[in-house]
Amino acid sequence: MNNALYKLVYISRNQIQGNAITLRAEIEQILATSRVNNLKSDITGALMFNAGCFAQVLEGPHDKIQETFETIQCDTRHAHTCILVFEPIAERSFSKWAMAYHGNDSNAALQFSDITLKSGFDANQLNGEHIYDLIKEHLLSANLSI
Ligand SMILES: Cc1cc2nc3c(=O)[nH]c(=O)nc-3n(C[C@H](O)[C@H](O)[C@H](O)COP(=O)(O)O)c2cc1C
């Protein structure tokens, strides 16, 4: 068992089809499930979404993150998950949130759109720490509910 505190940052491509209402309903469902499960698993973090991609930060005990990420990776609502950062941390950045959220029209998500577009969604060109900082800066100072 490895219970040291870690953070994981990944990006993925949205596979949810349909209009804005369907999309919103699916994301609300993801957040509701995440908030219940993550609390039980001692995981905190944040999810960001733009029209095409998700970026998520998970913080918590190493083994719990691995377990949760394995489930997330199998979810057909997204694909091409790519881990950008997985490293030990001294403390949590999102300690108050089982899963914070920033959607489509937020400033952070717009900047995230820009970054992913410019990279051509090439993981080698994406800087995980940059995406992490973006989520952190904007989420910590914003109103966080969907
Ligand atoms: C982009 C994305 C992010 C997700 N994040 C989480 C998460 O942080 N925690 C979680 O438990 N499930 C998350 N899920 C949902 C899981 O893939 C899965 O549906 C869920 O854990 C199943 O929970 P259940 O067995 O309690 O129904 C996410 C799904 C997607 C598509």
Side-chain angles (χ1 to χ4, degrees), residues 4 16 30 34 36 65 88 100 102 106 113 117 122 125-126 139 141:
I16 303 166
I30 289 171
S34 302
V36 171
I65 290 191
H102 241 317
S106 71
S113 291
L117 270 177
D122 176 356
Q125 294 191 42
L126 286 169
L139 287 184
S141 61

Side-chain angles (χ1 to χ4, degrees), residues 30-136:
I30 289 171
L31 290 172
T33 308
S34 302
R35 286 166 182 161
V36 171
N37 291 346
N38 293 357
L39 200 62
K40 285 188 208 148
S41 300
D42 194 22
I43 287 179
T44 51
L47 179 70
M48 183 157 70
F49 176 74
N50 66 37
C53 309
F54 292 98
Q56 191 172 26
V57 179
L58 301 170
E59 318 171 308
H62 178 279
D63 295 353
K64 295 290 184 189
I65 290 191
Q66 253 185 341
E67 224 171 79
T68 300
F69 185 67
E70 270 164 32
T71 310
I72 293 174
Q73 218 176 359
C74 295
D75 197 312
T76 55
R77 289 172 288 192
H78 63 170
H80 308 289
T81 53
C82 175
I83 295 177
L84 300 176
V85 180
F86 188 33
E87 64 182 25
I89 48 173
E91 58 182 30
R92 295 171 192 254
S93 294
F94 302 95
S95 54
K96 289 192 210 137
W97 296 284
M99 193 44 60
Y101 178 71
H102 241 317
N104 253 342
D105 47 357
S106 71
N107 221 338
L110 291 176
Q111 285 181 50
F112 173 50
S113 291
D114 212 39
I115 295 170
T116 48
L117 270 177
K118 278 190 188 134
S119 75
F121 207 82
D122 176 356
N124 294 321
Q125 294 191 42
L126 286 169
N127 180 335
E129 289 298 342
H130 183 184
I131 292 176
Y132 171 79
D133 286 342
L134 186 67
I135 296 175
K136 194 171 136 186

